[in-house]
Amino acid sequence: MPSLSPTADCGLDTTTDDPSGGYAGPPTDEETGGYAGPPTDEEAGGHAGPPTDQEAADGGAGPPTDGEIGNGGGPCGSADWFDMTRDFRAYLGQHLTKADDGTVSQQSVRETRVRKVSAAGEARITFFSYFTDDALSRNAALRLARLFADWRREIYGDAGRVSVRSTEGTVLVTLNW
């Protein structure tokens, strides 16, 4: 299972001058006087494991996640990153123009992830730039950011902030949509 990012910036101030004075983790068997793990089938009133195919078909599985953060929970609580790569590539396939040839393509987009933070969206796109020149790579990243903004406004009607990164992880462009 992938590990949580130790450098996740969640906008939370977690520093304090005084220690908490107690253990804040989940209770141990010793602290509860019994088994402190997930509920058993009997305690849960039925199946206590991951959702079965039948449960998923009944709508019990929730939205899909790509497993990057693990167990459907992000490092900042319930704000999960969702993989939207396939959907964004499909949009690009319908909206790239001749001017985009050799600059950006559906295949250049390696990863598109989106999450909601409060009422605003946050997104990051990782793409492979065909250019060795930084200025041309930034122009290609800006084009992708604008297309992403158009897609989000057109399809989802939301607002947020998108960062376009190189495959090496360098943020090339950040844009509000």
Side-chain angles (χ1 to χ4, degrees):
M1 178 168 69
S3 62
L4 298 178
S5 170
T7 59
D9 180 12
C10 304
L12 302 174
D13 181 9
T14 58
T15 59
T16 180
D17 293 335
D18 299 317
S20 67
Y23 173 68
T28 64
D29 291 350
E30 184 178 298
E31 291 170 334
T32 64
Y35 176 68
T40 63
D41 287 351
E42 187 176 301
E43 291 169 333
H47 175 70
T52 64
D53 291 342
Q54 180 61 43
E55 290 168 335
D58 294 338
T65 62
D66 58 15
E68 178 202 34
I69 302 300
N71 288 339
C76 307
S78 62
D80 293 338
W81 285 100
F82 293 96
D83 187 3
M84 303 286 292
T85 307
R86 183 181 60 198
D87 297 347
F88 183 52
R89 282 181 180 168
Y91 181 84
L92 289 177
Q94 298 172 353
H95 292 85
L96 291 173
T97 65
K98 286 273 187 203
D100 295 316
D101 287 351
T103 306
V104 295
S105 70
Q106 289 172 290
Q107 292 74 31
S108 67
V109 174
R110 303 302 167 122
E111 167 180 87
T112 304
R113 303 200 187 248
V114 179
R115 72 176 176 174
K116 283 283 192 180
V117 179
S118 298
E122 182 179 355
R124 66 179 184 213
I125 300 169
T126 303
F127 88 110
F128 174 78
S129 176
Y130 302 106
F131 302 109
T132 55
D133 181 279
D134 286 344
L136 293 175
S137 289
R138 289 191 197 311
N139 287 341
L142 182 58
R143 174 66 175 144
L144 275 177
R146 288 180 177 155
L147 284 164
F148 180 87
D150 292 345
W151 174 59
R152 291 301 296 193
R153 283 191 294 262
E154 180 181 323
I155 303 298
Y156 298 97
D158 61 359
R161 186 174 189 89
V162 61
S163 295
V164 180
R165 304 167 187 262
S166 68
T167 53
E168 294 82 27
T170 304
V171 175
L172 300 172
V173 171
T174 300
L175 179 76
N176 290 325
W177 84 81

